[in-house]
Amino acid sequence: MSNTDDEADGVEPPLPRETTVLYGHAQAERALLAAYRGARFPHAWLIGGPAGIGKATLAYRMARFVLAHPDPGVPTVRTAKSLHVDADHPVARRIAAQAQGDLLVLERTLNEKTNKLY
């Protein structure tokens, strides 16, 4: 379903920080998971693409996974098939509520004077 379908129905899609499912990005998830398991995790990732494809959702999934499993060597991480963290997990609940102290979210905003992105 596209964003325009949601808007036409009057239904707002869930925010990426609240979304626990992601479709069509299994390869990207595997790459992030392999990097995390291998202790070769870079300090930053550049995730690009058109609006609405799941970039923020993927980033939030990775953040939830890393914060829920801070040790990449534990069996839970070693056997994980995706970055899924249950919505009832305390980390997932704090991220959805914007209350996770270890997560800094940066978002671009509009300059009110010029109406351009900062």
Side-chain angles (χ1 to χ4, degrees):
M1 182 178 284
S2 72
N3 286 344
T4 56
D5 291 339
D6 288 337
E7 291 168 2
D9 293 339
V11 177
E12 291 278 332
L15 296 170
R17 70 174 181 269
E18 299 168 347
T19 304
T20 59
V21 295
L22 179 65
Y23 301 102
H25 296 287
Q27 183 177 358
E29 279 201 28
R30 284 192 300 272
L32 289 167
L33 191 53
Y36 186 57
R37 285 181 182 144
R40 301 179 320 271
F41 204 69
H43 71 279
W45 287 82
L46 181 60
I47 303 172
I53 65 165
K55 298 177 299 290
T57 301
L58 177 62
Y60 274 108
R61 279 177 70 89
M62 187 64 206
R64 276 191 295 271
F65 189 84
V66 169
L67 292 169
H69 308 288
D71 182 357
V74 297
T76 308
V77 174
R78 293 278 171 214
T79 59
K81 296 190 183 337
S82 74
L83 299 172
H84 177 75
V85 173
D86 191 63
D88 290 332
H89 190 283
V91 167
R93 293 172 63 103
R94 284 192 300 268
I95 288 175
Q98 296 179 307
Q100 177 66 37
D102 297 331
L103 180 63
L104 174 64
V105 178
L106 302 175
E107 296 178 355
R108 295 179 74 183
T109 59
L110 283 178
N111 180 327
E112 293 177 11
K113 293 180 183 176
T114 65
N115 212 26
K116 293 182 181 180
L117 288 173
Y118 276 116

